[in-house]
Amino acid sequence: MILLQNISFGFPGGNLLFNHINLTIQSHTKSALVGSNGVGKSTLLKIIAGEIQPLNGNTNIRGNIFYVPQMFGNLNDLTIAECLRIDQKLHALQKITNGEVDEIYFETLNDDWDIEERCQNALEHWRLENFELTQKLEDLSGGQKTKVFLAGIQINQPDIIVLDEPTNHLDREGRKLLYDLIDKTDATVVIVSHDRILLNLVDTIFELSNQGIATYGGNYDFYAKQKEVEEEALQNDIHSKERALKKAKEKERETLERKQKLDARGKGKQEKSGVARIMMNTLRNNAEKNSSKLKSVHAEKISGISGDLRDLRSSLKNSDQMKVNFNDSNLHSGKILVTVEDINFTYGKEKLWKENISMEVRSGDRISVKGSNGSGKTTLIKLLLENIKPSEGKINKTEFNSIYIDQEYSLIDNDSTLYDFVQTFNDCAMQESEVKTLLSRFLFGKDTWDKKCGMLSGGERLRLLLCGLSIRNKAPDMIILDEPTNNLDLQNVEILTNSIKDYHGTLLVISHDEVFLQEIGIDRELMLG
């Protein structure tokens, strides 16, 4: 069982990331934590895993935990055995096998006599049989590092499994193994992920926001439907408040007009009846006080409704207003853009692909490039972009313009300001005020326009790039996406999906996110092996 009570956390010199968070997760349940980028999901996972301590509050966690982090950079100097925290057990087993009978070795091993066999079976299961437990983590690819930690679940057999974006670098085969693990395990599972297939394997969704944690009893599809219902109710509340605001303003105007007419009529009667000047002044002052009081009452009511309306509007999703309205490509559909004839690429003396690749890319194609980790997907993209040359075969290209978007959004100049970067897309002489309005539409307020791009998160980099593409007068003929959803939260995946769905040019995509590929309308697959 996991129990968090009044948990608060903030970084030194900064605001609180979250404050007085309460969370209860029952044993043997499978849960996912969702929320916008930067809201603190990974931090909350680290608190659950015991990797960091909260500023205040209480944690009560029963059972041993195995934590699979999102980032592995600080672990590169460790061996696989050290990362999986089995190095001391393996050392103790070796000492005992060599005849040493010190009690400390038996206490360390703790009856785990089959630890070596479990390690071997786990590594084979995750297709890591060629790696030694003494090997440094830095020698492995991102997908292999993730698989090492997932193998650690099998080895350590924990009561609680904590996973932070575990599918980011996994190939299709690795994802299937992970789905099977989550489906069959009896352990308590807590996941942060944007992988909707994985999120549909849980039975509870916890949504972390600035308001705290909301609980949805069901998988991701159930959560998404509930959010649609909430969004519809929110829209109805907004329309109701808008009507109330309009009515309140009309009532204010009508009341003041009626008061002015009555005051004018009363003044005329008083003048005709010869009321003394001092009495007239007193009556006029009283009328002005009454008018002021009346205005104040209406202003207070209007201000209250306006405040409620602002709060409601701030709760709306931002994805709809951030769609990119791509212009159609000037190329006619079906025009041959790239012809690939029997190409291959050599690393050292080894060919990358068992069979040479031949293919055509035509205008309007939506192609998914698939293959396991290390199968050469990104290398193929570099060949098509002519960043590198094939070791054999040839590539013929016609004239067209393209944009390459990788998972780091490295097209963005980190030293540039946000405003200066989007201006590089301004080929239609859009006015400065229009550019800044568009930046605001993509959630970049005026306090961020002079901010350096290098300070942006993955989701913010996506939004900035989409903002730039919205400014450009002409859509690229081809968009190439290399694992574009890896560093995005679910809302930003939705923003990207909505934009790409409306794009009518040529699309070349590397992604293991099957739901994303389905939603953007992939019509052809190229499998590398």
Side-chain angles (χ1 to χ4, degrees), residues 193-212:
S193 179
H194 64 269
D195 184 325
R196 285 160 285 185
I197 295 176
L198 181 60
L199 294 177
N200 273 332
L201 297 176
V202 306
D203 41 51
T204 306
I205 297 285
F206 296 106
E207 183 185 56
L208 179 62
S209 68
N210 295 330
Q211 285 73 46

Side-chain angles (χ1 to χ4, degrees), residues 215-491:
T215 304
Y216 296 81
N219 63 10
Y220 180 76
D221 282 348
F222 175 81
Y223 161 78
K225 289 176 182 176
Q226 290 298 111
K227 293 299 288 184
E228 286 180 7
V229 171
E230 290 178 10
E231 192 79 6
E232 186 177 347
L234 180 60
Q235 288 285 6
N236 290 336
D237 287 346
I238 288 173
H239 293 153
S240 176
K241 285 293 180 184
E242 287 172 341
R243 289 193 296 269
L245 181 61
K246 182 180 179 181
K247 188 174 181 180
K249 287 180 177 179
E250 289 175 351
K251 182 71 174 176
E252 177 191 38
R253 179 178 54 79
E254 291 171 357
T255 302
L256 290 175
E257 285 178 356
R258 186 165 59 251
K259 180 75 168 57
Q260 288 169 355
K261 287 179 182 179
L262 290 173
D263 288 347
R265 191 180 304 162
K267 182 179 178 182
K269 288 181 178 179
Q270 292 157 7
E271 287 175 346
K272 286 181 181 180
S273 61
V275 176
R277 181 180 297 275
I278 188 169
M279 180 60 70
M280 289 277 288
N281 288 337
T282 301
L283 292 171
R284 185 178 65 251
N285 288 339
N286 289 338
E288 288 174 354
K289 286 180 182 178
N290 288 335
S291 294
S292 178
K293 186 177 180 181
L294 199 59
K295 284 182 181 179
S296 177
V297 169
H298 283 287
E300 186 176 344
K301 184 176 182 180
I302 289 171
S303 177
I305 296 173
S306 297
D308 291 343
L309 191 56
R310 279 194 303 272
D311 291 341
L312 289 170
R313 283 173 174 163
S314 70
S315 301
L316 282 171
K317 287 196 308 181
N318 300 303
S319 54
D320 292 338
Q321 68 177 356
M322 284 184 279
K323 286 176 65 175
V324 179
N325 297 317
F326 285 113
N327 295 319
D328 289 342
S329 170
N330 290 335
L331 302 177
H332 65 80
S333 180
K335 178 181 179 179
I336 297 176
L337 303 182
V338 183
T339 303
V340 177
E341 298 180 11
D342 288 322
I343 66 165
N344 215 316
F345 192 80
T346 302
Y347 285 102
K349 296 181 180 180
E350 293 289 327
K351 285 186 177 182
L352 181 54
W353 301 297
K354 294 177 182 178
E355 296 182 4
N356 290 355
I357 295 174
S358 295
M359 63 180 293
E360 279 186 350
V361 180
R362 294 175 177 266
S363 178
D365 282 350
R366 299 176 91 83
I367 303 171
S368 168
V369 180
K370 293 187 174 182
S372 59
N373 293 134
S375 62
K377 299 184 294 293
T378 299
T379 300
L380 177 62
I381 296 300
K382 290 178 179 178
L383 288 165
L384 295 177
L385 290 171
E386 298 182 325
N387 293 337
I388 57 177
K389 294 182 178 180
S391 303
E392 54 184 281
K394 61 180 181 179
I395 300 175
N396 295 316
K397 295 177 64 177
T398 59
E399 284 294 322
F400 64 89
N401 65 76
S402 63
I403 184 170
Y404 174 53
I405 303 174
D406 61 11
Q407 60 186 294
E408 304 296 335
Y409 302 97
S410 52
L411 184 68
I412 296 174
D413 179 7
N414 288 334
D415 294 326
S416 175
T417 66
L418 273 64
Y419 176 77
D420 289 340
F421 174 73
V422 296
Q423 275 286 30
T424 63
F425 291 83
N426 191 2
D427 57 1
C428 55
M430 184 181 286
Q431 295 295 313
E432 179 180 338
S433 60
E434 294 178 284
V435 173
K436 290 180 174 177
T437 297
L438 200 57
L439 275 166
S440 297
R441 201 182 95 197
F442 280 82
L443 305 186
F444 296 110
K446 62 182 180 179
D447 57 325
T448 69
W449 296 338
D450 294 326
K451 184 178 179 180
K452 294 289 186 183
C453 295
M455 300 172 65
L456 300 178
S457 68
E460 289 170 331
R461 292 171 79 84
L462 164 72
R463 295 206 311 271
L464 185 67
L465 189 52
L466 292 178
C467 180
L469 291 173
S470 294
I471 293 173
R472 181 176 283 179
N473 187 42
K474 182 177 178 295
D477 299 316
M478 180 186 292
I479 296 178
I480 302 171
L481 301 171
D482 192 348
E483 297 289 4
T485 64
N486 268 8
N487 298 309
L488 303 182
D489 60 23
L490 289 161
Q491 185 187 44

Side-chain angles (χ1 to χ4, degrees), residues 77-251:
D77 291 335
L78 301 180
T79 66
I80 292 176
E82 288 170 336
C83 288
L84 302 183
R85 299 177 183 176
I86 55 173
D87 52 309
Q88 293 183 17
K89 285 182 180 289
L90 292 170
H91 177 69
L93 179 61
Q94 185 181 31
K95 289 292 187 181
I96 294 170
T97 303
N98 290 338
E100 297 194 31
V101 293
D102 194 318
E103 186 64 28
I104 189 64
Y105 297 133
F106 289 91
E107 290 178 3
T108 301
L109 188 59
N110 191 27
D111 292 332
D112 270 333
W113 298 101
D114 64 340
I115 185 70
E116 286 185 330
E117 183 182 353
R118 292 210 312 274
C119 290
Q120 182 181 349
N121 290 339
L123 292 177
E124 286 179 359
H125 179 77
W126 290 96
R127 310 298 189 260
L128 299 170
E129 54 272 348
N130 295 325
F131 293 97
E132 299 291 335
L133 292 168
T134 54
Q135 194 166 344
K136 290 287 186 68
L137 203 67
E138 64 185 354
D139 298 330
L140 281 62
S141 69
Q144 289 166 339
K145 290 174 183 177
T146 301
K147 289 177 181 178
V148 161
F149 275 84
L150 294 174
I153 296 172
Q154 209 166 320
I155 295 167
N156 286 280
Q157 301 172 341
D159 302 308
I160 300 171
I161 302 169
V162 179
L163 304 163
D164 192 356
E165 294 289 1
T167 62
N168 263 7
H169 302 287
L170 288 183
D171 53 24
R172 177 188 284 186
E173 181 184 42
R175 290 187 181 217
K176 286 181 178 178
L177 290 171
L178 174 60
Y179 301 151
D180 187 61
L181 167 67
I182 299 304
D183 185 49
K184 293 180 179 177
T185 185
D186 190 45
T188 305
V189 179
V190 188
I191 303 169
V192 165
S193 179
H194 64 269
D195 184 325
R196 285 160 285 185
I197 295 176
L198 181 60
L199 294 177
N200 273 332
L201 297 176
V202 306
D203 41 51
T204 306
I205 297 285
F206 296 106
E207 183 185 56
L208 179 62
S209 68
N210 295 330
Q211 285 73 46
I213 293 180
T215 304
Y216 296 81
N219 63 10
Y220 180 76
D221 282 348
F222 175 81
Y223 161 78
K225 289 176 182 176
Q226 290 298 111
K227 293 299 288 184
E228 286 180 7
V229 171
E230 290 178 10
E231 192 79 6
E232 186 177 347
L234 180 60
Q235 288 285 6
N236 290 336
D237 287 346
I238 288 173
H239 293 153
S240 176
K241 285 293 180 184
E242 287 172 341
R243 289 193 296 269
L245 181 61
K246 182 180 179 181
K247 188 174 181 180
K249 287 180 177 179
E250 289 175 351
K251 182 71 174 176

Side-chain angles (χ1 to χ4, degrees), residues 7-19:
I7 296 294
S8 300
F9 186 87
F11 297 102
N15 297 326
L16 286 176
L17 191 57
F18 42 75
N19 195 21

